[in-house]
Amino acid sequence: MIYTVTLNPALDYVIQVDNFKAGQINRNKKEDIYYGGKGINVSCILNELDIKTTALGFIAGFTGKALEEGLNKLGIDTAFITVPKGMTRINVKMKSDEETEINGMGPTIEEADFEFLLEQVKTLKKGDTIIISGNVPKCMSSDTYERIISCLDKEVNLVVDAEKDLLLKVLKYRPFLIKPNNIELGEMFGREIRSDFDVIHYAKKLQEQGARNVLVSMAKDGAILVDENGVVSIQGVAKGEVVNSVGAGDSMVAGFIAGYIKTNDYAQALKLGTACGGATAFHSGLATREQIEEVLSTL
């Protein structure tokens, strides 16, 4: 079974407003609601690829209930922990002459709530995969990821997609996959990444620190995978017009995991990951199966 962890999921309210003017009444031209959070995005893409997941994390209030019910209707299993304080956040993303985002706070997660999550992850067993992604909410301690991971059976496959400091702290647990982008990779070592050679060099440095497979996304320049067998795979970018960057990286992670499960081949996993990331980037929401297959056929 694959489990995704989203500590602070959200309902993303995406609106289109022509010529937004502050201090006045503005009316939406278009509106959509998406189920947000990096782990949630991974579950949604894997669901499109017919791979079952269970989404873990914290929800609260009527918005949390709406998120859970919405995911269940899509066929995604959930085992969220409902907390009593606050509500699952609503993030407003407005597209107008300029793009504007207003992100909600999310609920208060106390130690007792977190202990329930730790008990959940302790039940994972050999052959399971857990995907932990996103930032840690301000109400939780900076060692949250480490506390979760330290509860895992060593035979559980660990995938981590997080920012610099969070990612570096978990390398000692030998994650199956990490996915920094080229900018984040440079920040980890205080260097500017100028070439594929640089990407490969520093990806191998992360392997020396414990990562098994390092997938580096490079926006318009494609992606590079340095796998645990020492093989370097370079994949060109999918061709299309980028209209949305939200969820593209999560889609790449989901596609990579799906590709590896289906083929047991890292190069094929990279190809499907690239297709999923591109398909999401080329559309207003997360990619559908048909959109992914269309992009995949061009790679």
Side-chain angles (χ1 to χ4, degrees), residues 4-13 33-44 55-82 87-91 106-107 286:
T4 62
V5 177
T6 311
L7 297 174
N8 198 12
L11 295 176
D12 288 340
Y13 181 48
I33 291 181
Y34 300 103
Y35 307 119
K38 291 177 70 63
I40 301 296
N41 293 340
V42 172
S43 280
C44 288
L56 307 177
F58 302 97
I59 57 173
F62 76 97
T63 48
K65 185 177 180 181
L67 173 68
E68 184 172 44
E69 290 177 350
L71 290 174
N72 292 160
K73 286 180 181 178
L74 292 176
I76 297 171
D77 293 334
T78 59
F80 291 127
I81 296 161
T82 301
M87 64 182 228
T88 293
R89 60 195 176 131
I90 299 175
N91 296 334
L286 293 176

Side-chain angles (χ1 to χ4, degrees), residues 1 10 40 45 60 81 83 100 144 150 158 173 185 205 211 226 273:
M1 173 58 75
I40 301 296
I45 292 295
I81 296 161
V83 302
T100 302
T144 292
S150 64
L158 170 65
Y173 297 101
L185 182 64
K205 290 287 185 185
V226 182

Side-chain angles (χ1 to χ4, degrees), residues 129-176:
T129 296
I130 186 169
I131 302 169
I132 306 176
S133 50
N135 294 325
V136 175
K138 291 182 179 179
C139 61
M140 304 182 75
S141 64
S142 60
D143 66 346
T144 292
Y145 271 21
E146 291 182 86
R147 291 183 64 191
I148 294 171
I149 294 167
S150 64
C151 290
L152 294 171
D153 185 294
K154 289 182 172 54
E155 297 297 321
V156 172
N157 287 320
L158 170 65
V159 178
V160 181
D161 181 11
E163 294 181 351
K164 173 185 172 182
D165 292 335
L166 289 175
L167 194 58
L168 289 172
K169 287 179 180 179
V170 304
L171 294 179
K172 62 187 177 184
Y173 297 101
R174 291 192 53 75
F176 170 75

Side-chain angles (χ1 to χ4, degrees), residues 237-264:
V237 69
K239 298 296 188 293
E241 181 182 353
V242 175
V243 299
N244 165 52
S245 61
V246 177
D250 309 321
S251 299
M252 174 174 272
V253 170
F256 182 92
I257 296 301
Y260 187 71
I261 288 173
K262 293 178 177 182
T263 67
N264 201 38

